[in-house]
Amino acid sequence: MRNNQLMARLEELKRERDAAVFAHNYQIPEVQDAADYIGDSLGLSRIAAETKADVILFCGVHFMAETASILSPNKKILVPDLNAGCPMADMVMPRELARWRDGNPGKVVVTYVNSSAAVKALSDICCTSANAVQVVESIPADKEILFVPDRNLGKFVMAKTGRRMELWLGFCPTHERMLVEQAERAKAMHPDALLLAHPECPADLLAIADYVSSTTGIIAYCHESPAREFIIATECGILHPLRRGNPDKIFHTFNPVADCPNMKLNTLQKMVWALEDMAPEVSVPKELADRARLPIQRMLEIG
Ligand code: 13P
Ligand code: SF4
């Protein structure tokens, strides 16, 4: 089927199933264009907790759908492709985290939402790239912190807050490949452009960035900034909302492999199949969801 036929079928199925479509800012353009809500991890978590629809078709990666299931246990959470995972989330196993935590009694475990439900359930509080600094600032100064799993986000938060934290050595394979040398070359080629980066990028790149934020933070900054030209150091899916929302501005990427292969597994065809079959479903078992909800709610209360 062609895209317009798929879009029409999707609309029909959304009505039949009372479904809302959520899409992360990294999704391919046609998936974003078919979505009811587009956002970063934090924004989509908040909407998942509030939406009235019976079914959420979550176009992102697995941990995002799990978070929606944890926050909306009475809704059916579908995904277009169950293979869309997050390699960073897979870099921390619950058993290894439990051992680290048990070996450090009294320390506060702060866990980036790019993690499994089982890892969240072992944590004191979650954070996203949008609120990691505020979350860490909310922890009493005399408490020591274990930060899981992204070492780059962890280093960024340490630099911003002045707090020392022990870091898990996880990383995002897509952002880890964004090199400071490439960014410097891009800056030399486009001297009037601002460099905007996601905090999952390596620390040396973040050190030369003009602004560091979550995906939605980057989109908002570009929209509000009087600057006309930007170099974007994050996954290339973000270029779609940036260009659509700012037709008079220029956006450059500098990395030819700025692709998250997992985010790109979702397609319009798979979205239609998911609503036709009401599968694949992501459902976190109640006992685990109840434990994982606590650290997520603590984060959401921070604002
Ligand atoms: P955001 O929360 O900034 O959207 O980032 C999620 C992510 O997976 C970045 O790689
Ligand atoms: Fe995970 Fe990186 Fe893909 Fe984000 S871009 S979902 S952190 S692998």
Side-chain angles (χ1 to χ4, degrees):
M1 271 200 266
R2 289 220 295 269
N3 275 2
N4 54 355
Q5 291 171 304
L6 289 168
M7 288 284 274
R9 179 72 184 128
L10 192 69
E11 286 307 317
E12 211 171 78
L13 285 162
K14 272 168 54 179
R15 277 193 299 276
E16 265 172 43
R17 309 294 199 197
D18 188 23
V21 175
F22 286 28
H24 186 264
N25 291 317
Y26 292 160
Q27 292 297 290
I28 58 173
E30 51 269 41
V31 170
Q32 292 197 37
D33 292 345
D36 299 299
Y37 304 101
I38 310 170
D40 62 4
S41 310
L42 181 62
L44 293 175
S45 307
R46 285 191 191 286
I47 300 166
E50 289 161 12
T51 186
K52 300 270 184 295
D54 289 339
V55 176
I56 297 175
L57 175 58
F58 208 118
C59 305
V61 290
H62 193 265
F63 76 80
M64 297 179 177
E66 266 193 343
T67 305
S69 166
I70 293 164
L71 291 173
S72 293
N74 300 323
K75 295 190 195 305
K76 202 181 211 17
I77 313 297
L78 302 174
V79 292
D81 192 322
L82 212 43
N83 293 313
C86 171
M88 183 202 291
D90 294 340
M91 288 178 192
V92 46
M93 294 293 114
R95 187 187 302 199
E96 294 170 350
L97 177 58
R99 199 176 308 133
W100 198 37
R101 188 191 66 165
D102 294 348
N104 287 280
K107 297 189 185 174
V108 178
V109 178
V110 179
T111 296
Y112 189 29
V113 286
N114 294 37
S115 52
S116 66
V119 162
K120 289 183 176 79
L122 292 164
S123 310
D124 295 299
I125 188 164
C126 288
C127 69
T128 74
S129 58
N131 62 17
V133 168
Q134 287 156 280
V135 165
V136 167
E137 281 172 345
S138 77
I139 297 167
D142 60 335
K143 287 277 183 195
E144 291 184 58
I145 298 175
L146 307 177
F147 191 88
V148 186
D150 186 8
R151 65 183 178 205
N152 291 336
L153 177 63
K155 280 185 208 160
F156 172 72
V157 172
M158 285 206 284
K160 277 278 178 196
T161 61
R163 287 288 284 269
R164 214 194 76 77
M165 306 192 294
E166 288 171 60
L167 306 179
W168 195 268
L169 297 181
F171 59 90
C172 163
T174 301
H175 288 85
E176 191 73 7
R177 285 184 174 82
M178 306 217 175
L179 305 180
V180 68
E181 296 80 4
Q182 295 171 318
E184 277 166 347
R185 268 200 302 276
K187 272 168 85 92
M189 278 171 69
H190 310 290
D192 296 331
L194 297 180
L195 173 65
L196 311 188
H198 194 278
E200 289 176 12
C201 291
D204 52 359
L205 190 154
L206 296 181
I208 63 158
D210 296 293
Y211 184 66
V212 178
S213 189
S214 74
T215 53
T216 292
I218 289 175
I219 292 168
Y221 184 92
C222 291
H223 199 67
E224 283 152 25
S225 169
R228 313 213 60 75
E229 208 177 336
F230 305 88
I231 301 162
I232 305 296
T234 189
E235 210 272 352
C236 61
I238 199 174
L239 292 171
H240 178 61
L242 284 173
R243 287 180 177 145
R244 189 186 46 196
N246 307 278
D248 53 334
K249 297 184 178 179
I250 301 167
F251 299 95
H252 308 281
T253 54
F254 60 81
N255 184 306
V257 287
D259 236 28
C260 172
N262 292 280
M263 287 281 183
K264 299 298 184 265
L265 286 176
N266 300 323
T267 62
L268 271 183
Q269 177 71 77
K270 291 179 195 172
M271 290 164 73
V272 167
W273 283 333
L275 285 181
E276 278 179 346
D277 300 345
M278 293 299 273
E281 184 178 358
V282 171
S283 173
V284 180
K286 183 178 175 341
E287 186 273 331
L288 176 58
D290 287 346
R291 285 188 292 127
R293 193 174 303 115
L294 225 70
I296 301 173
Q297 272 170 346
R298 285 193 190 120
M299 165 187 87
L300 293 176
E301 277 158 21
I302 283 178

